[in-house]
Amino acid sequence: MPKIVVSEDARKLGVFISYTEVTSIVVRPTEGELEEEMKRIEEKYKHINPESLKEDPVVRAYRDFYWKINIDPTKTRPSGEALRRRISRNGKLPRINNVVDIGNLVSADTLVPIGIYDESRFKYPITLRLSNGTENFYGIGKKEPEKVAPNIPILVDSEGIVMHIYPHRDSQLTNVIETTKDVLIIGAGVLGVNNDLVKEATKRVAELLVKYANGKWNKEVSIL
C-alpha cells in the first residue's frame, strides 16, 4: 500500500502534492548562514506592496481554491501569501527553529504552502481526503480542539489524526519539535499552480535541511 494516498474526491477539487522524506535532522535555533538566508528573503520582499500579490498567478490560484472550499482568502490568507505579507508589514519572517524556518523561507519565496511533519508522531499510510465534519483538529497554538467543517481537504494518518487542514494549517500533534529526527515534507498544490513549482519548492526544503539541519536525503521527490 502506498505511504500517501490522495482520494478521488480531493482530486476532483484540483489538489495535488509533492513529497519527500529527510532523516537524521537536528532541530536547533536559526543562526549563522541560515539566518543570512532568511535575511536575504526578507530584503527581497520587504519593499513590495502586498496589494500587488493578488495579481500574482500563484496567489490567485490558491485564492480561487479557497473560495471553492468556502474559505474567504481575504480573511484567511494562503500560507505563502501570509508570509510574504508579514515581510511587507514588519520586514521579518518568524523565527521558530531551523527546520520550521526553512519551510517558511521557501514558502515565502515560492508562495507554495509547505508542511513539515515529525514521522515519529504519526503513522503511515496517510490520506489526503475531504472531511466529513466529525474530525477534531488540534491547531498549533490552540488550547482546545476544533471540529473541521465538512468537505474540507485534510491530511489524516492511519489512526485518524488530522495532521493538516489543506493547504494552510498544521496540527500541534504532528509538527516539528525539539526531539524531531525524521520528517515528511509536503508541498501543497492546487489547480492553476505548476507541478514543477511545487516539486521544486519541496526539493529546496529538503536541500536546505541537509545543509542547515544535518539531514540525510535520497534526492527523490514524488508527485501525487
Side-chain angles (χ1 to χ4, degrees):
M1 185 174 183
K3 277 188 166 185
I4 305 177
V5 176
V6 180
S7 71
E8 283 307 308
D9 54 3
R11 287 191 188 282
K12 287 176 183 175
L13 283 176
V15 305
F16 65 95
I17 62 169
S18 66
Y19 71 93
T20 192
E21 296 167 283
V22 177
T23 61
S24 303
I25 64 169
V26 178
V27 179
R28 56 191 174 215
T30 289
E31 56 191 6
E33 291 184 23
L34 177 55
E35 176 64 26
E36 293 306 310
E37 292 226 24
M38 299 285 285
K39 288 178 178 177
R40 281 194 288 274
I41 292 298
E42 291 162 348
E43 188 63 33
K44 183 176 179 180
Y45 295 114
K46 71 179 184 180
H47 299 300
I48 293 176
N49 180 355
E51 294 311 307
S52 67
L53 280 168
K54 61 189 176 186
E55 306 305 324
D56 187 290
V58 176
V59 170
R60 282 208 309 272
Y62 286 107
R63 284 188 173 201
D64 289 348
F65 176 77
Y66 273 36
W67 286 121
K68 191 185 296 187
I69 59 173
N70 297 314
I71 295 175
D72 184 345
T74 65
K75 296 176 180 175
T76 303
R77 303 284 185 188
S79 54
E81 179 186 353
L83 288 165
R84 191 79 70 82
R85 283 177 174 271
R86 180 170 177 143
I87 295 173
S88 296
R89 188 170 63 249
N90 62 23
K92 287 186 74 67
L93 289 166
R95 301 294 195 272
I96 310 297
N97 58 54
N98 58 333
V99 178
V100 174
D101 294 351
I102 284 168
N104 285 341
L105 180 157
V106 173
S107 186
D109 198 26
T110 64
L111 296 171
V112 173
I114 297 290
I116 305 177
Y117 308 97
D118 184 333
E119 290 194 319
S120 73
R121 305 180 74 203
F122 68 86
K123 294 192 183 306
Y124 287 111
I126 60 179
T127 305
L128 180 60
R129 62 167 174 81
L130 298 191
S131 59
N132 57 35
T134 65
E135 299 90 351
N136 285 320
F137 177 71
Y138 292 80
I140 292 175
K142 303 292 185 182
K143 292 184 178 179
E144 299 294 331
E146 61 190 85
K147 277 280 187 281
V148 183
N151 300 312
I152 300 293
I154 53 175
L155 192 67
V156 184
D157 85 339
S158 64
E159 296 187 340
I161 293 174
V162 179
M163 302 165 57
H164 174 74
I165 297 179
Y166 198 90
H168 67 296
R169 295 184 66 194
D170 287 328
S171 170
Q172 61 180 294
L173 301 181
T174 54
N175 67 324
V176 171
I177 56 177
E178 287 183 3
T179 57
T180 298
K181 298 298 181 189
D182 305 329
V183 294
L184 169 69
I185 305 162
I186 288 184
V190 298
L191 189 66
V193 177
N194 189 286
N195 285 29
D196 289 341
L197 175 65
V198 178
K199 189 173 183 178
E200 184 58 35
T202 307
K203 175 185 173 186
R204 188 169 162 200
V205 172
E207 290 172 339
L208 291 175
L209 288 178
V210 170
K211 187 173 183 179
Y212 297 123
N214 300 93
K216 304 288 190 297
W217 179 48
N218 65 8
K219 299 189 177 181
E220 293 179 6
V221 180
S222 301
I223 289 268
L224 288 176

